[in-house]
Amino acid sequence: MKKFSLFTGLISVCLFNAQIKFEKGYFINNSGEKTEILIKNIDWKNNPTEFDYKTEGSSDIKKENIKNIQEFGIDNGERYIRKTVMIERSSEELSKMSETKDLIFTEETLFLKYIVEGKADLFYYEDSDIRKFFFDKDNSETQQLIYKPYYIDQSQITYNEDYKNQIAHQLKCGVENSNIQKIKYNSKDLIKIFMKYNECSSSASINYTKNSEKKDLFNLTIRPGISSSSLKTVYSSYNYSDETKFGNKMTFRMGAEFEFILPFNKNKWALFIEPTYNYYKADVEKTIQAGTYFEQKSKRSVDYKSIEIPFGVRHYFFLNDKSKIFINAAYLVDISIKSNIKYDYLNLEVNSGNNLILGAGYKYNDKFGVEFRVGTSRTLLRNYLSWESDYNTMSLIFGYTMF
């Protein structure tokens, strides 16, 4: 409990000191007036309906929404424009997929995200499991590119790919029909088509995905550190109980972390896996049946070696361009290696359980890091009915990101 109280305090300090990052941008209101501002850039996964901003030199955070704003954007980043469109909200998720080819449209006012700007514009809209593309040409009415998967029966899915016909009819310059049939309903393929059309039409064209902040989505980090571990075992029978505390031991740990940055929300979320070599050795001598005729000394030892493999999720809080703090949680799978606990002549084979871990830390310049980590207790003797064990660890981990 003390460990988790310490961890909670550390998390509170991290959150208190984390600063919100605002970036230069603008908005255009309903009167057509453009205002230069600082926008809270959260790299929206779902298209927003509102945003936070402040003016240069002010700490007063304000909020605007789709009712008052025609357009807003971040310099050299994302750009959103308000459009009233007919949208068909069918899902691609199997559990929510439609059983009919019919298209049901509703009129909605949305902030659409610019993907390509030119003679022909390409927009994107995402809302949870809904992912749709829209387009216009020569400032005409904005239309949805139609794509709808649906069930024919419980075991077969087919697709309404009318977006290919829309492209063939609207974007004729520089776009071959043979290429259109190969187009998939994704940003990569659609951007190529719209850029080709704009180039063929001698139109200036902007690919906004190239302006987006690019960061490595995979990191490999070497993670040495120091662990403080303790072990308690308890043997229980009908009328007898024997508890042994092996004490706290400081040990060296070595791990390698594979981190996968999720490509949304300004790279604040990540998944990680961190295989780590762990060991714990201790010897104690205990007097049993003290004060009786059967009093004797009992020698007990533990030799525990394992590979810990936590699978976790991490969230970053940016302090500035070079500094960030983070918190993470993981489920740890432990694989013991030729380990045992000895009670005099009794040899107990270690078969460890799994547990949860929580951590908080700091990273500088995406290279150097430090983390404080605690774990819930786990058993080392799960194959024995009469034995209980509690193994606990807290660690101070250092990191160097190689790439």
Side-chain angles (χ1 to χ4, degrees):
M1 183 62 69
K2 290 182 179 179
K3 291 192 300 183
F4 283 95
S5 297
L6 178 61
F7 177 80
T8 302
L10 181 60
I11 293 295
S12 299
V13 171
C14 289
L15 295 178
F16 179 79
N17 288 284
Q19 299 175 5
I20 299 172
K21 188 174 183 181
F22 285 79
E23 298 182 18
K24 290 184 178 180
Y26 72 94
F27 67 70
I28 300 174
N29 63 20
N30 289 339
S31 301
E33 299 172 341
K34 183 176 181 180
T35 304
E36 303 290 335
I37 54 170
L38 298 174
I39 295 180
K40 182 183 177 183
N41 184 1
I42 61 174
D43 194 24
W44 297 270
K45 181 180 183 296
N46 296 325
N47 288 41
T49 58
E50 61 184 21
F51 58 89
D52 293 332
Y53 74 96
K54 61 183 181 180
T55 56
E56 191 79 45
S58 172
S59 60
D60 185 20
I61 299 175
K62 301 178 182 179
K63 188 182 294 289
E64 270 297 359
N65 60 60
I66 197 168
K67 293 181 180 179
N68 305 319
I69 301 300
Q70 295 183 33
E71 179 182 327
F72 77 94
I74 295 168
D75 292 1
N76 299 315
E78 298 179 353
R79 178 186 173 195
Y80 290 89
I81 187 167
R82 185 180 67 193
K83 296 279 188 177
T84 299
V85 295
M86 301 300 294
I87 182 171
E88 194 278 321
R89 284 182 166 268
S90 58
S91 174
E92 298 177 42
E93 289 192 5
L94 293 177
S95 61
K96 300 179 182 180
M97 195 172 291
S98 173
E99 297 181 358
T100 175
K101 182 181 181 180
D102 296 340
L103 302 172
I104 301 175
F105 288 91
T106 57
E107 185 179 81
E108 298 183 33
T109 300
L110 310 169
F111 274 137
L112 298 182
K113 182 179 178 180
Y114 262 102
I115 303 296
V116 173
E117 181 183 10
K119 181 178 177 67
D121 300 320
L122 177 65
F123 308 98
Y124 180 67
Y125 178 78
E126 182 170 350
D127 181 14
S128 187
D129 59 317
I130 308 299
R131 290 173 287 274
K132 305 296 180 183
F133 290 92
F134 292 80
F135 81 103
D136 62 33
K137 188 178 74 169
D138 296 323
N139 297 316
S140 62
E141 181 181 2
T142 302
Q143 302 176 52
Q144 182 176 328
L145 287 168
I146 302 302
Y147 171 77
K148 181 181 180 180
Y150 61 95
Y151 286 110
I152 293 179
D153 53 46
Q154 292 183 347
S155 61
Q156 188 175 2
I157 297 172
T158 192
Y159 302 87
N160 180 341
E161 296 183 329
D162 197 44
Y163 69 93
K164 295 179 180 179
N165 295 327
Q166 292 173 283
I167 290 172
H169 178 69
Q170 295 287 341
L171 309 183
K172 296 180 180 180
C173 184
V175 181
E176 301 293 335
N177 286 333
S178 58
N179 293 332
I180 292 176
Q181 296 309 311
K182 300 176 183 178
I183 300 172
K184 295 181 180 179
Y185 196 75
N186 59 40
S187 293
K188 181 180 178 181
D189 285 10
L190 292 174
I191 286 171
K192 288 181 180 178
I193 291 296
F194 275 76
M195 293 296 287
K196 280 185 178 180
Y197 172 79
N198 288 334
E199 182 180 354
C200 177
S201 302
S202 300
S203 169
S205 191
I206 301 174
N207 178 359
Y208 281 87
T209 62
K210 287 187 176 181
N211 293 336
S212 300
E213 182 179 14
K214 299 294 183 182
K215 289 189 177 181
D216 293 333
L217 298 182
F218 171 76
N219 295 318
L220 173 61
T221 303
I222 303 302
R223 303 259 290 175
I226 300 171
S227 296
S228 174
S229 305
S230 64
L231 174 65
K232 180 181 75 173
T233 61
V234 179
Y235 171 75
S236 299
S237 62
Y238 293 107
N239 56 3
Y240 178 73
S241 179
D242 184 354
E243 177 182 287
T244 302
K245 294 182 179 180
F246 289 91
N248 287 293
K249 298 292 181 180
M250 301 294 291
T251 59
F252 179 76
R253 52 100 71 194
M254 174 58 75
E257 180 187 84
F258 303 89
E259 182 184 45
F260 304 88
I261 306 297
L262 299 180
F264 58 84
N265 197 216
K266 296 295 290 179
N267 300 318
K268 290 181 179 180
W269 290 95
L271 303 176
F272 68 90
I273 177 173
E274 184 187 350
T276 302
Y277 178 73
N278 167 69
Y279 70 95
Y280 175 88
K281 292 184 179 182
D283 297 279
V284 298
E285 185 176 80
K286 183 176 180 179
T287 301
I288 58 176
Q289 298 183 340
T292 71
Y293 177 78
F294 301 101
E295 178 180 320
Q296 58 180 306
K297 300 292 185 181
S298 175
K299 293 183 178 180
R300 299 161 184 197
S301 65
V302 55
D303 183 0
Y304 170 44
K305 303 176 290 292
S306 73
I307 300 296
E308 297 180 336
I309 309 177
F311 300 85
V313 60
R314 174 173 293 142
H315 185 66
Y316 286 102
F317 302 87
F318 294 97
L319 301 176
N320 52 51
D321 290 338
K322 289 191 174 183
S323 297
K324 55 188 175 183
I325 55 180
F326 62 85
I327 57 175
N328 47 236
Y331 181 76
L332 187 148
V333 176
D334 189 68
I335 304 172
S336 55
I337 306 171
K338 295 182 180 179
S339 302
N340 59 61
I341 298 174
K342 292 183 178 181
Y343 273 56
D344 298 317
Y345 300 106
L346 177 64
N347 188 6
L348 302 172
E349 181 181 356
V350 169
N351 192 340
S352 55
N354 305 321
N355 64 309
L356 299 177
I357 58 173
L358 300 172
Y362 169 80
K363 197 165 187 179
Y364 177 76
N365 205 27
D366 284 328
K367 278 290 183 183
F368 305 97
V370 61
E371 176 185 344
F372 175 71
R373 177 180 291 180
V374 298
T376 58
S377 64
R378 66 172 178 260
T379 181
L380 302 189
L381 299 171
R382 62 178 178 176
N383 288 350
Y384 297 90
L385 294 177
S386 299
W387 292 83
E388 295 179 2
S389 60
D390 288 313
Y391 179 77
N392 293 275
T393 298
M394 68 173 69
S395 302
L396 183 64
I397 306 168
F398 303 93
Y400 176 76
T401 300
M402 300 179 66
F403 58 83

